Each structure stands twice: as structure tokens, then as C-alpha cells.
Amino acid sequence: MTRQEISSLIRETLSNRRLSAEAEAADRRSRIYAEYPEVQELDTEIKLCRLSIARALLQDSKSLAVQKDDELNTLISHRDAYLDEQHIPGDYDQPRYYCRRCNDTGFITVDNQYHKCSCAIEIENQLYAEVTGIHPCNFTTFDDYDLSLFSDKIMPDSITELSPRDNIASILSKCRTFVDSDSATEPGNLLFMGATGTGKSYMAKTICSELLSAGTMCIYRTAPQLFDCLLNHRMHRDDTESVEAMTADKIYNAPVLCIDDLGTEVPSPAKYADMISILDSRAEYNGRYPRRTIVVTNLRPGDLKNTYDERITSRLLGNNFTLCYFEGDDIRRR
């Protein structure tokens, strides 16, 4: 989903809220008029009186306008007294908007300048969270990284032959290049592997946050969420307007897709077929609209081969993905 599409959905949501509030106000008015005909008569007289005032002002008849204005005040006082006597709220005929600050327009005026209302920001954030998988309030940046959390000692069983700190610095550099490049190379796709708590998911979310902040659409889903989304979409193909339907489309077509926790899903042939379909579809690069993929897993290469058949592992461990192996102790426990 593009920013334009999200903006369109925000406008649609606000419009629906306004229309709903105004329809409810019209319904309340009709019910009050049916039960209290006197209210309708008074409202009609008030409208006619206001029209007379406007006509008098246009004709430059100030004395008539003053006379009609006195009549209007009398009618309004009579109406207010009758409403109070019948225990009818004075604003019964006014729309009760979801947001009283902006009346569901999405904008407020501060110092004669228009500003986006907090309700519109809330809708925008919710839409981003539903479609992208990351709430804007949870965005992180590369500058948030604290390399001191990682040990500067090479682990005895190190695969990278680097200290965790030097290794994460190297990975961070590759990820910055990934964000700064809009091509399908340098690197085209990323495969994050390593033990739990070594920073894989955080790094993946940071990449998505940086790209989303820059205006590039990303989809972030854990493997179980991704496969469930595709399954539900297949079961409700007729519903093409739902967020789930749009997400299913973006899984295949978004500029960047991040699949986290691969290997935690309940295995099934259908999911493996989906995975192959996703990888193959996104690998089709026409030179203009690259579709890059990030895959995150706790599995080691050997475990990956034992969990998935060769069609998947050959795609992930082949030349199309740059392997980033995360090492070190569980930084969550620090």
C-alpha cells in the first residue's frame, strides 16, 4: 500500500465517521419531530426568520433586519424553554462527531494554520501497523544501535571468526547499504541466521523502519502470520477490499518483504508451496521495480536443510541472498 492509498483510506474513514454522525443526527431529529410536533414548528419558524433577516440585509433594510432579529431571539428562547420542559437535549439535532476537536475532518486550526488532528494520526498509525506490521511508534533507527551491548571477544565456536561486536558492525554496514540502495543488488536479499537474542529481529525491524520513514513500502510479518494471512485470503477471495487482501498482495509485490521467525510455523506442504511461490515471484526482477526480501530464522544452515526441502533451502542459501550470521550471548538478558 502506498502513502497515497493510506491517505485515501484515512479520508474515507473520516468521511464515513462524519456521514454516520450526520445520519444519526437526522434520525434523532425525525424522531423528536414525530413525538413533539411543536419542536418542528418552532424550528421551521426559526429557519424562516433567519431567511427574512438575510433578505432584509441584502435589501439594505436595517430596521426590518433588527425587527426580525428580535423575533428570532424570542423564537430561540421559546424553543429552548420547550426543549428544557420536555427534557430534550438542546443539541439533539447536532451531529455527535467521533472527534470533537476536528468534527471528523482530520484537521484543526492553530494560530491560523492547519494541522493534522490527533484522530487522523491515530488512524494513519493504525493503518500502517495493520498493513506493514510495524506501528510507527515502534520505529527504530540505525543510530539507536549500541555496539557496546555485544562482546568484543571472539566466541570459541564462532562461525564468522569475528567478535560479536565486530560482526554486528559488519552486518550493520550491509544493512545501511541495503536501505540506501534501491537496486536488487548490493545486497539484493538478506538472510539473517543465528541464535535467539542476538539481534536479528531488531535489525530487520530497523531496516523496515528506516525504509518506511523514507517512504518505501515494507511488509513485516512473522512466518506464522504470513502463512495465516495467505490462507485466510484464499478462503475469502471475494473480499478484495480488506486489509488482509491488500497485505496478501503486498507480500508478493511490496518493494521490501521481511519474513521473521521462519521455522516457527506449523509445517505443511501448502506453506512450503507458498514460500516457494513468494521467493520465486519476488525474484522476478524487471530492472525497474526491484522486490527485495529479508528472511530471519533461528535455524542454522544444517537445521534449515533438515526442516525444508531443497527447493526452499537452495533459494535461501544460494547466490540471491546475502547471509548475515548473528553471534553472541542473548542481549535480552543484559
Side-chain angles (χ1 to χ4, degrees):
M1 182 181 293
T2 64
R3 286 189 172 184
Q4 290 79 5
E5 289 172 325
I6 287 180
S7 296
S8 178
L9 280 175
I10 293 171
R11 290 193 296 270
E12 182 181 342
T13 300
L14 291 170
S15 176
N16 288 339
R17 286 180 178 179
R18 286 197 307 275
L19 292 173
S20 176
E22 290 162 3
E24 289 173 0
D27 181 63
R28 285 195 301 273
R29 188 182 306 112
S30 296
R31 286 187 281 108
I32 291 294
Y33 284 176
E35 188 171 354
Y36 304 97
E38 295 88 343
V39 175
Q40 184 174 13
E41 293 174 6
L42 286 168
D43 281 349
T44 300
E45 290 184 45
I46 288 171
K47 289 178 183 177
L48 291 174
C49 193
R50 283 175 172 153
L51 287 173
S52 297
I53 293 172
R55 190 179 300 111
L57 291 174
L58 288 173
Q59 295 174 351
D60 203 23
S61 179
K62 294 184 179 180
S63 59
L64 180 58
V66 170
Q67 176 187 340
K68 290 297 181 179
D69 189 59
D70 290 338
E71 290 181 19
L72 177 63
N73 290 330
T74 300
L75 286 168
I76 292 175
S77 297
H78 187 185
R79 177 183 183 272
D80 290 344
Y82 183 80
L83 293 176
D84 187 60
E85 179 184 333
Q86 301 299 326
H87 304 290
I88 302 172
D91 64 346
Y92 78 92
D93 59 343
Q94 297 302 308
R96 294 169 186 172
Y97 294 108
Y98 180 89
C99 178
R100 298 298 181 91
R101 294 186 67 203
C102 69
N103 289 341
D104 294 338
T105 63
F107 291 92
I108 56 175
T109 304
V110 179
D111 297 331
N112 296 322
Q113 291 185 333
Y114 284 106
H115 296 270
K116 189 181 293 186
C117 184
S118 58
C119 72
I121 295 174
E122 180 184 349
I123 296 170
E124 182 178 33
N125 287 345
Q126 187 59 39
L127 284 171
Y128 265 107
E130 289 179 9
V131 176
T132 67
I134 304 178
H135 197 288
C137 292
N138 297 327
F139 279 4
T140 55
T141 70
F142 290 131
D143 293 335
D144 295 329
Y145 265 83
D146 182 1
L147 297 182
S148 67
L149 293 173
F150 299 86
S151 172
D152 59 356
K153 307 295 183 184
I154 299 177
M155 301 179 68
D157 58 349
S158 173
I159 293 177
T160 64
E161 298 182 350
L162 296 171
S163 71
R165 185 176 301 174
D166 289 341
N167 184 50
I168 200 69
S170 174
I171 293 173
L172 189 59
S173 176
K174 292 176 182 177
C175 293
R176 287 183 183 275
T177 301
F178 183 94
V179 168
D180 293 340
S181 173
D182 60 356
S183 89
T185 59
E186 304 281 336
N189 303 299
L190 296 173
L191 174 61
F192 290 173
M193 306 186 82
T196 301
T198 50
K200 303 182 301 301
S201 294
Y202 187 88
M203 184 71 80
K205 289 180 180 178
T206 299
I207 291 174
C208 292
S209 298
E210 293 273 9
L211 289 168
L212 286 166
S213 297
T216 299
M217 177 52 63
C218 303
I219 300 295
Y220 172 90
R221 289 292 189 278
T222 64
Q225 291 172 340
L226 180 141
F227 293 124
D228 285 348
C229 174
L230 294 178
L231 175 61
N232 291 334
H233 176 55
R234 278 196 294 270
M235 295 173 64
H236 304 90
R237 285 189 180 277
D238 294 338
D239 186 3
T240 58
E241 300 299 323
S242 68
V243 170
E244 200 158 54
M246 288 185 283
T247 303
D249 174 71
K250 296 303 178 185
I251 286 172
Y252 285 91
N253 298 311
V256 176
L257 168 69
C258 178
I259 307 173
D260 199 357
D261 290 332
L262 185 70
T264 62
E265 73 280 359
V266 177
S268 75
K271 291 175 183 176
Y272 295 159
D274 281 338
M275 187 66 183
I276 293 171
S277 175
I278 291 168
L279 294 175
D280 285 350
S281 175
R282 297 185 60 79
E284 294 175 1
Y285 172 53
N286 62 10
R288 186 178 179 186
Y289 300 111
R291 292 175 290 186
R292 297 180 290 168
T293 306
I294 305 167
V295 176
V296 183
T297 180
N298 292 336
L299 300 174
R300 287 172 171 261
D303 298 326
L304 192 69
K305 292 178 179 178
N306 292 332
T307 303
Y308 300 98
D309 65 29
E310 186 179 355
R311 292 176 299 169
I312 293 178
T313 56
S314 64
R315 287 164 171 81
L316 293 177
L317 299 175
N319 295 330
N320 289 336
F321 278 81
T322 297
L323 173 61
C324 298
Y325 201 89
F326 289 67
E327 294 184 319
D329 296 326
D330 190 341
I331 58 176
R332 297 170 185 165
R333 298 180 180 177
R334 296 197 172 192

